[in-house]
Amino acid sequence: MRKRRIIAAVIIVAAAVFASFFGGAARTLFYMSMLIPLLSVAYTFYVYLRFRIYQDAENKIIVKGEKTPYFFVLSDEDYIAYTDIRVEFLDDFSTVQDMELSHSYCLVPGEKNEYHTDILCHYRGEYNIGVKSIIVTDLLGLMNIRYPAPSTIRMSVLPKLSEIENISLAPLDEDAKLLRYSHSASDEPPDCEIRKYIQGDSIKLINWKVSAKKRELFIRQSSDTHNNSIVFVMDMTQIRSDDYTRIVTEDKIIECALTTADFLVRKNVGITVVYEQDEIMYEHIDSPLLLKAFYVKCAGIKFCASLTPSQLSGSLTGLTLNGFVIFAVSALTYELCETCENIIRLGGDAAVLLAGDSGAENIAALDKRVIFRQIKLSDEVSDILGGTDEH
């Protein structure tokens, strides 16, 4: 295009010089050369007004990492040809499959071309996909105009639920350690005393051997005062960053919660997920059905909380005492470091899952007994959580 502009400029200058020496008919040639850029501008603007593009996707709700059928239509509903049309696609959060992105399209009057392919959505959330902008170039290739697509496709992408066979969080990384958290842990405690049965006690706790000897019902009474609670605190505060970093970080936090909950449910262990959505939400998940319900909610939850993760955990002191608290956060703060240290001091366990690198310089302030995992924007959550336990 630059070469053509230079040639056009040389022609105009040469015509001007020729007209200044010879006048008369030479001036007509000069005026005609001046029409070249004017015609380019007029043609480009005309195509901008008249060109039509249509696009749509087969599914508007899909799971992260899935493809959905997609098509777009280029239409020349005019009386002149469109010689050089190019389209640019939104590519921050999605990728158009099997398309030559730099391709130039030429349409004759009345022609309508359909192009069918797939779009792959990379992140959870709501965002636009498809054609971002259109570039129209004039007949002589002297100039072009770029303008946004007249319509966009709004996609709702559900989070990905990854299955992992092991988890790199020490209190949960072995079946033996998981026993104290399992649904049946309190039914068969390893260390127990016995007392007489009281109406309302669980039949599962009856010690039949002792009851047969004493001819009276006795139950096992656990001498272990461990709370056996697992709490997952999701940081839902607003992430102040560019759109790409924001959406990917949100995606990592939610996927951490889902992956951990899925692992525990398959191990017959319950977990309480705590987060804020106008009010503090408590999602107790101990079955596939409850996990599915939480998964559906994750598609629409918003990162607009006013309470920090530390403030959320502060309201759960009674529930989390001697338990295991996991924080999935977008920033590691001194406040959170102090909260984790307090949980350790009270006899519990704590873990921090940092999505991204905000506040990573505060790792030194984190108690060495706190499990820490950093999940970078380029990492897969399943690779980090399902990896070996290294602290």
Side-chain angles (χ1 to χ4, degrees), residues 8 28 31 38 53 64 66 76 108 122 124 134 148 175 188 195 220 241 248 263 267 272 276 292 336 365 377:
T28 303
Y31 295 142
L38 295 177
I53 181 170
K64 168 193 166 182
E66 286 187 354
D76 184 348
V108 298
H122 301 291
R124 168 260 173 206
I134 301 154
D175 288 343
E188 297 291 342
R195 64 168 173 80
R220 300 179 179 91
S241 186
V248 177
F263 173 81
K267 295 292 184 179
T272 300
E276 183 191 350
K292 183 177 181 181
L336 183 59
L377 300 187

Side-chain angles (χ1 to χ4, degrees), residues 36 58 301 303:
I36 294 175
E58 183 175 305
I301 60 179
F303 283 71

Side-chain angles (χ1 to χ4, degrees), residues 30-98:
F30 169 70
Y31 295 142
M32 291 180 62
S33 67
M34 289 293 294
L35 289 176
I36 294 175
L38 295 177
L39 289 174
S40 294
V41 171
Y43 174 85
T44 307
F45 186 69
Y46 181 83
V47 175
Y48 161 73
L49 293 176
R50 301 285 293 173
F51 176 67
R52 297 291 180 266
I53 181 170
Y54 310 96
Q55 59 176 338
D56 201 3
E58 183 175 305
N59 304 301
K60 302 299 191 303
I61 302 177
I62 63 172
V63 176
K64 168 193 166 182
E66 286 187 354
K67 298 177 183 177
T68 182
Y70 163 80
F71 76 92
F72 65 96
V73 179
L74 304 180
S75 178
D76 184 348
E77 301 173 3
D78 217 321
Y79 303 103
I80 63 172
Y82 302 157
T83 58
D84 192 344
I85 303 289
R86 283 176 291 157
V87 294
E88 294 180 323
F89 295 94
L90 292 160
D91 57 5
D92 288 337
F93 312 123
S94 61
T95 303
V96 180
Q97 305 292 293
D98 304 321

Side-chain angles (χ1 to χ4, degrees), residues 116-308:
H116 293 263
T117 183
D118 295 316
I119 282 189
L120 174 66
C121 293
H122 301 291
Y123 306 105
R124 168 260 173 206
E126 292 187 358
Y127 46 83
N128 294 329
I129 65 169
V131 176
K132 174 178 65 175
S133 56
I134 301 154
I135 303 174
V136 176
T137 304
D138 70 289
L139 289 165
L140 301 177
L142 297 180
M143 67 167 293
N144 57 36
I145 181 172
R146 176 187 281 104
Y147 61 95
S151 63
T152 56
I153 303 171
R154 192 70 175 175
M155 184 68 68
S156 294
V157 184
L158 299 171
K160 180 180 178 182
L161 201 162
S162 303
E163 285 193 8
I164 54 177
E165 295 305 317
N166 302 291
I167 194 164
S168 64
L169 301 176
L172 308 178
D173 63 352
E174 295 176 11
D175 288 343
K177 295 178 182 178
L178 278 168
L179 284 177
R180 70 175 181 176
Y181 298 109
S182 67
H183 302 327
S184 58
S186 59
D187 299 340
E188 297 291 342
D191 229 356
C192 63
E193 300 173 351
I194 60 170
R195 64 168 173 80
K196 287 185 178 182
Y197 174 83
I198 300 174
Q199 188 174 2
D201 287 334
S202 173
I203 296 177
K204 293 181 179 180
L205 298 180
I206 295 176
N207 189 321
W208 295 105
K209 186 176 182 180
V210 174
S211 297
K213 286 182 179 180
K214 295 182 178 287
R215 298 181 180 278
E216 191 176 359
L217 290 177
F218 282 81
I219 67 168
R220 300 179 179 91
Q221 183 178 12
S222 175
S223 59
D224 182 9
T225 58
H226 201 288
N227 190 291
N228 293 341
S229 65
I230 302 176
V231 175
F232 195 106
V233 179
M234 285 201 301
D235 179 6
M236 305 301 292
T237 55
Q238 185 178 2
I239 300 169
R240 301 186 182 280
S241 186
D242 59 273
D243 285 345
Y244 174 79
T245 301
R246 176 181 59 80
I247 285 184
V248 177
T249 304
E250 293 175 358
D251 182 54
K252 301 296 183 188
I253 291 174
I254 291 176
E255 194 172 334
C256 281
L258 288 171
T259 300
T260 303
D262 174 72
F263 173 81
L264 293 175
V265 166
R266 286 187 285 112
K267 295 292 184 179
N268 199 36
V269 176
I271 183 173
T272 300
V273 180
V274 182
Y275 59 99
E276 183 191 350
Q277 293 286 281
D278 297 327
E279 60 180 346
I280 300 177
M281 311 293 292
Y282 307 91
E283 302 282 354
H284 184 67
I285 304 168
D286 59 7
S287 69
L289 190 62
L290 291 174
L291 177 62
K292 183 177 181 181
F294 175 62
Y295 172 82
V296 173
K297 286 184 180 180
C298 284
I301 60 179
K302 306 295 184 183
F303 283 71
C304 56
S306 59
L307 297 178
T308 66

